[in-house]
Amino acid sequence: MSSKKSVAVIGAGISGLASAIELAHGAYNVTVFEKNESFGGRGRQIEKDGFLFDMGPSWYWMPDIFENFFNDYGKTVSDYYELERLDPSFRIFHRNGTLDVPAGVESCMEVFEKRETGSGTFLRKFLEEAKYKYETGMREFVRKPSLKWSEYFDLKLLKSLFRLQMFQSLQSVVYKNIQDEVLRQWLCFPVLFLGAKPSKTPALYSLMNYAEMVLGTWYPKGGMIRLFEAMYKLACEKGVRFEFQANVQKLVCHDDSVERILVNGREQSFDAVIAAADYQHVDEQLLGQQYRQYPEGYWQSRVMAPSSMLFYLGLNSKIDGLLHHNLFFDTDFDRHAETIYDNPAWPEDPLFYVCVPSITDPEVAPEGKENLFILIPLAAGISDHPEERKKLFNKVMQRLEEHTGVKIRDQIQVSLEMGPSDFVQQYNSYKGNAYGLANTLMQTAVLKPRLRHRRLKNLFFAGQLTHPGPGLPPSLISGQISAKLLKKEMPL
């Protein structure tokens, strides 16, 4: 029997954790190198004065993906954390008031029908198709390594292409059948997490509506950090080693292999590497010129998902008028989208999102106080200046104070922020992106950066810049796929 193979995983975000668990479960020796001080990547948590801030992802969708992941290793989600379904799922602030989105399909249909006669019937059919897309897409389409088109030359998948609506935009399907502006916003908003306008996103991604309305919006008690803690614990149980504040500086290659990695000035040898750090950073900064797969022009031509301006606020009193999740769609969507995708600029009248986890969970704020997380999408690669941040903050706070009737700025006890330049500094994020590559048709499947290096046979990639794309469930799946590909090509 051959000795165990050693694998270095770069990055302890969700894809790196998933890769490490899959490999260790298969009896590989795994070491994870993380440049920051803790696991979680964009999903890290910061504590200040009793306030616990989840730094990144705040929506827990597709619970079956996480459950199935833990089941693969003989565990269940409930071994690690408790989930609570939110009802209402979220609140939409629109030009003429608010709309609370209920949990459950029947309740959603009632809201649709009440706002627009006949729309409830459309929603039922829309969700039936979305279910098919979800089951086909999330269980088959995204699980392939996407190294070559022939992987998809499967009769069942080829037959499904028409129903998957890969070549129609989500907006075209929704706008053709729904006239009510608020209902349109409701159906189109989930794809904002995929990083492109609804007019540029394939209708395949109505599967996100199925995830939201049918599978539900959930919250892990204690915060989103519970998911990352669970994966870290499982990795440790499997024997994975972690090195934090471990900055990988170079991949030392010879012929067709990575032989060593340089970490904090010290070289270490491994049989294989999974790079779950930012793909562009690894390709351009860690590999020598002769091993780079993509020229700078390639990256410049990619359609990036947005960056974000994030504000984390600890308030010294409770506030009314908000739910756990709140979408402020009370201004011109197209005008803000133009500043993200067409003519990059700081938005004059932004749409934004507010999360108040302390409404659901008393653990994340001191008693009688409130925890606020505010996100404003911005163009990737935009110049990031303190004065622009301050100006944007005041615009958002003015609208928030008008809607709640509370002088929130007078209640701020703790204030932290994170913008595009912070994404670059903390995560080596290309152009300061927050969500990776946009899921446009020309950046789908084989058209994304490869999970396996073309020349270096022992270098694999995972994360939101590669297949299947941005978001927690796709990034988790990416890590698993990459590790399984390694196991297949480099068996013990």
Side-chain angles (χ1 to χ4, degrees), residues 282-336:
V282 175
D283 201 44
E284 294 225 330
Q285 304 299 322
L286 303 190
L287 289 170
Q289 180 76 42
Q290 70 271 34
Y291 292 107
R292 290 174 190 168
Q293 296 188 95
Y294 303 102
E296 177 57 25
Y298 169 86
W299 293 108
Q300 289 288 354
S301 68
R302 296 305 86 187
V303 180
M304 302 305 299
S307 185
S308 295
M309 191 65 231
L310 306 170
F311 297 103
Y312 312 91
L313 305 178
L315 307 184
N316 59 23
S317 65
K318 291 287 186 183
I319 58 172
D320 294 322
L322 297 172
L323 295 181
H324 187 117
H325 295 299
N326 308 270
L327 302 170
F328 284 79
F329 286 172
D330 51 331
T331 59
D332 190 327
F333 176 93
D334 290 333
R335 190 175 169 204
H336 187 175

Side-chain angles (χ1 to χ4, degrees), residues 68 93 119 136 164 297 311 322 328 332 343-344 348 390 403 450 455 475 481:
N68 291 339
F93 288 80
S119 65
T136 303
L164 289 176
F311 297 103
L322 297 172
F328 284 79
D332 190 327
N343 301 300
E348 285 299 319
K390 186 175 181 181
H403 281 293
R450 293 165 54 87
R455 291 175 56 201
S475 293
I481 297 172

Side-chain angles (χ1 to χ4, degrees), residues 225-375:
I225 192 64
R226 294 289 180 256
L227 167 62
F228 300 95
E229 282 178 350
M231 295 181 71
Y232 175 69
K233 287 176 184 175
L234 179 55
C236 292
E237 289 169 25
K238 296 288 181 185
V240 176
R241 288 183 59 251
F242 286 84
E243 291 191 19
F244 296 108
Q245 295 182 309
N247 185 32
V248 176
Q249 298 158 294
K250 186 178 180 181
L251 301 181
V252 183
C253 309
H254 181 70
D255 291 337
D256 63 354
S257 298
V258 179
E259 291 193 341
R260 300 178 304 283
I261 66 172
L262 180 67
V263 185
N264 290 347
R266 182 168 61 96
E267 288 191 358
Q268 300 183 48
S269 298
F270 290 91
D271 294 308
V273 175
I274 290 185
D278 182 272
Y279 200 124
Q280 185 270 349
H281 171 75
V282 175
D283 201 44
E284 294 225 330
Q285 304 299 322
L286 303 190
L287 289 170
Q289 180 76 42
Q290 70 271 34
Y291 292 107
R292 290 174 190 168
Q293 296 188 95
Y294 303 102
E296 177 57 25
Y298 169 86
W299 293 108
Q300 289 288 354
S301 68
R302 296 305 86 187
V303 180
M304 302 305 299
S307 185
S308 295
M309 191 65 231
L310 306 170
F311 297 103
Y312 312 91
L313 305 178
L315 307 184
N316 59 23
S317 65
K318 291 287 186 183
I319 58 172
D320 294 322
L322 297 172
L323 295 181
H324 187 117
H325 295 299
N326 308 270
L327 302 170
F328 284 79
F329 286 172
D330 51 331
T331 59
D332 190 327
F333 176 93
D334 290 333
R335 190 175 169 204
H336 187 175
E338 186 178 323
T339 68
I340 298 173
Y341 300 109
D342 304 325
N343 301 300
W346 286 72
E348 285 299 319
D349 212 4
L351 284 73
F352 60 96
Y353 157 68
V354 178
C355 181
V356 195
S358 47
I359 287 175
T360 306
D361 188 354
E363 286 187 43
V364 300
E367 188 175 353
K369 300 186 179 185
E370 208 81 279
N371 178 324
L372 254 69
F373 167 102
I374 301 169
L375 181 152

Side-chain angles (χ1 to χ4, degrees), residues 129 132-133 136-137 140-141 144 151-167 204:
E129 288 299 312
Y132 174 81
K133 293 172 190 174
T136 303
E140 296 181 44
F141 187 79
K144 297 183 179 297
E151 293 171 30
Y152 298 95
F153 295 170
D154 173 278
L155 190 59
K156 184 180 176 184
L157 274 180
L158 289 172
K159 284 181 177 178
S160 71
L161 276 178
F162 180 74
R163 283 188 72 184
L164 289 176
Q165 294 183 305
M166 291 288 290
F167 307 106
L204 162 70

Side-chain angles (χ1 to χ4, degrees), residues 92-102 107-121 123 177-187 213 329:
I92 297 173
F93 288 80
H94 54 85
R95 297 174 195 270
N96 300 311
T98 61
L99 173 66
D100 285 358
V101 171
S107 298
C108 289
M109 286 177 60
E110 287 176 17
V111 174
F112 265 69
E113 197 61 33
K114 188 174 180 180
R115 290 192 67 93
E116 182 178 329
T117 303
S119 65
T121 304
L123 180 62
N177 294 281
I178 297 291
Q179 306 308 311
D180 182 272
E181 183 186 5
V182 178
L183 297 183
R184 284 177 168 182
Q185 289 175 335
W186 179 355
L187 289 180
M213 292 188 189
F329 286 172

